[in-house]
Amino acid sequence: ELFEKKNYELRIAGGAVRDLLSGMTPQDIDFATTATPAEMKEMFTSAGVRMINNKGEKHGTITARLHEENFEITTLRIDVVTDGRHAEVEFTTDWEKDAERRDLTVNSMFLGLDGMLYDFFNGYEDLKNKKIRFVGKASERIQEDYLRILRYFRFYGRIAEKPGDHEPSTLQAIKENAKGLAGISGERIWVELKKILVGNHVNHLVRLMYELDIAQYIGLPLDGNLEEFDRVTKNTQNLCPKPMTVLTSLFSVKDDVTNLDLRLKISKDEKNLGLFLVKYRQELTKATGPEPLRPYQDFIMDSREANTNSRICELLKYQGEEQLVRELQQWTIPSFPVSGHDLRKMGVSSGKEIGAVLQQLRDEWKKSGYHMDKEELLSCLKKL
């Protein structure tokens, strides 16, 4: 209503349009408008609408807060100069010019609030046919921001129906510009890569990263183990693995994790998960016999670290142990029923002795599969 009153055009833009046309509820809705940031500020201020200052203004974005929600509204713009990472922009009122500087056809549509679709580059056709294409010339779009190479892969994994359905000229443009990824910050790359790793067609897309010479610029090992990668992506298909769990299958040694971290600045948890999987994926496996989960339970019980449980869970997914993942998720870590206080009551007085006896009892408890209760353990103590 505010925009209408002032005769500014306002439309939903980009990803939200793609989601709505795919029958999905968009997670966040971005708007585009013919109003400039200064005009929006004036309009919102006089209407008493709160604005959140988020430094987006020089790119033309104003964030308005209404009904406990943030709405990002960006002035239509043209990129004047780009260096492959950042763009200098100038504002325009031409919707097609704004659509022209967006990355993929499926992300370049606008939707009027009356339900009218504005689609300058056949984005809706492509979406219906599950085709991922760059707007205009692939090489030009990529050179504006090299991260778009990974965005191409990410949306391919999200929308395309089958692997291998690429335009040869697009793959050629990606290969020729792969080196540009070297100049993109690790954090931005990691955000995209994680989404690729948990999307569809992941082994096809990672193989492409190797074929098109991208891997070396985004922190992946030059000789990534693609056979293991294929195996693990099959193993984890229905198990919702963490991105790091899938990625670790490419790694042969600890250094591969360290190098990834140097390039992409992954979180401490992600790094530790990678190191854990490289170390234990072969030596910690299920037991033969009636209690296959036992070695994993013992490992968790012996560990002094807080998140061992979730790491073991990822290890089981990596190994494709679907049934054991379920069992582990239902297992409650038992707590050791005897304390030093109990031992003092039984006449064990020296601290050193208490420690040693507790350890012995803990071993007995472990042998029993953590089933012995306090009484049984203390009667065991009499024997000891």
Side-chain angles (χ1 to χ4, degrees):
E1 286 169 6
L2 289 173
F3 280 79
E4 239 168 42
K5 222 184 327 199
K6 293 275 189 191
N7 285 328
Y8 300 130
E9 290 176 274
L10 179 74
R11 297 174 188 168
I12 297 173
V17 183
R18 182 195 67 237
D19 288 346
L20 287 165
L21 291 174
S22 312
M24 287 153 56
T25 307
Q27 285 189 314
D28 44 10
I29 298 183
D30 295 331
F31 291 90
T33 183
T34 51
T36 64
E39 289 167 337
M40 283 194 267
K41 276 165 91 168
E42 190 187 331
M43 171 174 70
F44 287 141
T45 306
S46 60
V49 172
R50 211 177 123 209
M51 282 167 284
I52 311 265
N53 182 13
N54 68 341
K55 304 186 192 63
E57 207 180 310
K58 64 175 188 295
H59 302 297
T61 302
I62 297 286
T63 305
R65 186 149 178 90
L66 274 169
H67 308 299
E68 303 304 302
E69 264 192 87
N70 292 349
F71 295 96
E72 286 196 357
I73 308 136
T74 303
T75 307
L76 298 182
R77 56 198 191 175
I78 307 168
D79 293 340
V80 194
V81 199
T82 56
D83 62 2
R85 285 188 303 187
H86 316 287
E88 279 181 40
V89 300
E90 69 177 39
F91 303 132
T92 178
T93 52
D94 183 335
W95 290 90
E96 185 169 352
K97 284 262 189 292
D98 184 277
E100 215 166 78
R101 42 160 284 282
R102 293 174 181 262
D103 54 2
L104 305 165
T105 59
V106 294
N107 293 336
S108 70
M109 299 175 276
F110 302 104
L111 187 62
L113 298 179
D114 56 358
M116 172 70 124
L117 182 66
Y118 299 87
D119 177 15
F120 300 99
F121 297 101
N122 288 335
Y124 190 31
E125 269 312 291
D126 285 345
L127 189 62
K128 282 193 288 202
N129 297 326
K130 303 193 183 323
K131 287 286 284 183
I132 299 298
R133 290 188 310 124
F134 283 103
V135 169
K137 265 189 84 171
S139 54
E140 285 172 18
R141 289 296 81 77
I142 290 168
Q143 283 160 17
E144 288 160 359
D145 179 358
Y146 292 103
L147 191 68
R148 287 175 167 176
I149 290 175
L150 295 184
R151 283 176 61 83
Y152 173 86
F153 287 152
R154 162 152 73 98
F155 284 105
Y156 191 92
R158 204 158 128 185
I159 289 167
E161 210 150 28
K162 50 183 190 290
D165 186 15
H166 308 272
E167 290 180 357
S169 59
T170 301
L171 296 185
Q172 189 55 36
I174 288 175
K175 190 177 174 120
E176 284 165 10
N177 289 286
K179 202 174 179 172
L181 280 164
I184 302 289
S185 81
E187 291 86 343
R188 288 181 76 206
I189 287 174
W190 187 223
V191 168
E192 293 296 327
L193 188 54
K194 281 196 276 200
K195 291 177 180 168
I196 294 168
L197 289 165
V198 293
N200 299 325
H201 315 309
V202 55
N203 35 10
H204 162 68
L205 294 172
V206 168
R207 271 177 189 277
L208 265 186
M209 287 179 193
Y210 278 94
E211 283 165 27
L212 303 175
D213 292 336
I214 292 165
Q216 56 179 323
Y217 299 114
I218 59 173
L220 302 185
L222 285 177
D223 52 353
N225 187 340
L226 289 166
E227 286 68 42
E228 176 78 348
F229 190 77
D230 282 351
R231 206 175 61 79
V232 172
T233 48
K234 284 191 189 75
N235 281 351
T236 53
Q237 219 156 23
N238 308 314
L239 299 178
C240 305
K242 292 184 172 168
M244 199 62 203
T245 303
V246 181
L247 191 58
T248 303
S249 58
L250 285 172
F251 302 157
S252 314
V253 289
K254 284 203 317 227
D255 281 356
D256 291 336
V257 183
T258 317
N259 292 335
L260 182 85
D261 181 38
L262 285 172
R263 175 66 182 99
L264 302 187
K265 319 266 192 297
I266 61 181
S267 76
K268 204 170 156 191
D269 270 355
E270 288 163 337
K271 182 179 181 180
N272 287 337
L273 174 61
L275 291 169
F276 179 86
L277 291 171
V278 168
K279 185 171 180 184
Y280 291 108
R281 58 189 166 188
Q282 273 157 339
E283 64 180 69
L284 183 54
T285 51
K286 66 178 172 188
T288 49
E291 293 186 85
L293 196 57
R294 245 330 257 292
Y296 302 100
Q297 290 167 320
D298 287 348
F299 190 95
I300 292 169
M301 297 301 293
D302 292 341
S303 165
R304 294 279 181 265
E305 286 187 48
N307 47 6
T308 304
N309 204 333
S310 86
R311 282 183 202 159
I312 290 287
C313 200
E314 292 303 307
L315 174 66
L316 286 167
K317 291 176 188 176
Y318 185 103
Q319 294 169 338
E321 300 290 358
E322 193 166 345
Q323 180 55 40
L324 295 186
V325 171
R326 275 201 292 273
E327 282 178 39
L328 184 68
Q329 284 163 343
Q330 283 157 8
W331 179 63
T332 325
I333 299 180
S335 57
F336 183 52
V338 180
S339 68
H341 185 63
D342 299 319
L343 298 185
R344 276 191 204 92
K345 278 203 278 196
M346 292 191 62
V348 184
S349 54
S350 93
K352 207 170 179 180
E353 208 179 337
I354 288 177
V357 172
L358 278 176
Q359 193 48 56
Q360 277 178 296
L361 291 182
R362 224 186 140 84
D363 292 343
E364 289 299 318
W365 182 57
K366 183 176 175 177
K367 276 184 214 151
S368 77
Y370 314 108
H371 294 309
M372 292 171 83
D373 61 16
K374 189 186 219 163
E375 268 65 63
E376 291 172 296
L377 284 166
L378 291 177
S379 70
C380 189
L381 171 65
K382 294 186 183 117
K383 283 184 220 140
L384 286 171

